[in-house]
Amino acid sequence: PFVVCFCHHGVRSAQVVAWLARHGHTSVYNLAGGTDRWSLRVDPGFHGIDLCPGIAWPPARSRLSHFKH
């Protein structure tokens, strides 16, 4: 099995892949350029990922207490 990490531009996911590799995970990959590049080069119909359906992101300041850091 393997893990592909991704974010909007591929920077944060690259950091996650590096962290996982430092902690012994071997089959971890970064989507270079993130979902932004994916939408430009692979799937023009892709418009991002809705991680919290029905919830505006970023949440209003009053709703931040619902998210763990």
Side-chain angles (χ1 to χ4, degrees):
F2 61 91
V3 173
V4 177
C5 298
F6 57 90
C7 64
H8 190 194
H9 290 113
V11 177
R12 289 169 295 171
S13 55
Q15 294 170 342
V16 170
V17 167
W19 185 89
L20 289 168
R22 283 194 309 272
H23 288 84
H25 299 277
T26 56
S27 296
V28 291
Y29 303 91
N30 181 43
L31 180 62
T35 57
D36 187 56
R37 185 182 297 168
W38 177 272
S39 70
L40 294 172
R41 295 188 179 180
V42 179
D43 184 0
F46 179 78
H47 298 293
I49 297 172
D50 189 1
L51 296 176
C52 302
I55 299 176
W57 193 261
R61 184 175 284 288
S62 62
R63 297 184 72 171
L64 287 177
S65 63
H66 298 294
F67 298 90
K68 303 277 185 202
H69 294 280

